[in-house]
Amino acid sequence: MQANYDLLARQLEALLDSRDWLTNSAQTCAFIMHSVPDLNWVGFYLQRQPELLSLGPFQGKPACHPIPFDKGVCGAAARSLATQRVDDVHAVAEHIACDAASRAELVVPILNGERLWGVLDLDSPLPARFAAVDQAGIEQLAAVFTSRSDLDAAD
Ligand code: SME
């Protein structure tokens, strides 16, 4: 069943009632995991050192850490500052397999102003799980997280 992202965005806005980036990132990935069908991992990677992503709050199995900018779909999102939508991760050489069950991946960069703050990463066991409407919807939810959170406090 298709997620109603406009409704989810309003619900997430109501859920994120603090400015604390840690609380909000934990709530955001739990909310997405339980609201968007057919996911097996949702989480944040944070840029805390140059050219390196550190594992942040997530839902799902323990995951890879750290991820250099030159590795993985997450690294590609961090380098390009553009959302990465992959239909079949097995066909992408630079994909990092944290869980062999993952088949499709969507990674949205999170910016603090013009600077990369981190990425929001979603995995699905279904090939081609993420359509353009899911990309737009998850970008909408990421924007709710960004607008509701004090990202400077994570430095
Ligand atoms: N598959 C990701 C690594 C993170 S896990 O999916 C949680 C990547 O290729 O960057």
Side-chain angles (χ1 to χ4, degrees), residues 41-43 45 53 55 61-64 67 71-76 89 94-99 102 105 107 121-123:
W41 199 90
V42 182
Y45 281 92
L53 293 168
L55 184 60
K61 289 185 179 175
C64 312
I67 298 179
K71 296 265 163 47
V73 181
C74 290
V89 294
E94 68 173 343
H95 166 252
I96 302 168
C98 298
D99 181 348
S102 296
E105 182 156 14
V107 186
D121 181 18
L122 278 66
D123 288 353

